[in-house]
Amino acid sequence: MKKLGITISIIGILLHMNTCFIQSETKFGFNILLLVFSSIPYISSLLILRNKKSEVIGALAPLLPIITDSIAYYSVFISPTSSTAPLALIFIPLWNLIVFMPVGIITGLIIQNSKRKKTLTKSRKEDFR
């Protein structure tokens, strides 16, 4: 799980580096701010992965953000359908921070707690034998 979380986070950061430095034609200062703002979910999941007890949370936290970022990248640079498509580059990172990353963290917490309960019940059953 840890390798999966690290891989997703690195791909997400590289996607945003590509967006900010290769695809973009705007000023350099705005690109740095956009890169930092867009990379927060991935950097924070790498920080979560440092704790061995929360590997599931760290792996699931960047999962939905990488999906939404990939869709936004596709809709802006590969197949733009309207002139307002680049607005996704600003609003998708906001949605990632407010909605999608917390959903991944909550899902990881639920899975992690259910695993703990299963191991506790197994150990209690073995103690009674």
Side-chain angles (χ1 to χ4, degrees), residues 15 18-19 23 68-78 89:
L15 177 70
N18 178 35
T19 301
Q23 300 290 340
T68 56
D69 284 337
S70 300
I71 292 170
Y73 184 86
Y74 179 81
S75 69
V76 171
F77 295 112
I78 297 172
L89 295 177

Side-chain angles (χ1 to χ4, degrees), residues 23 27-28 33-34 36 42 47 51-52 55-56 61 72-73 84 94 106-107 112:
Q23 300 290 340
K27 292 185 179 180
F28 187 72
L33 288 174
L34 183 64
V36 169
Y42 305 110
L47 293 174
N51 185 358
K52 190 170 178 87
E55 289 182 357
V56 176
Y73 184 86
T84 57
L94 180 67
I106 291 169
T107 306
Q112 185 174 332

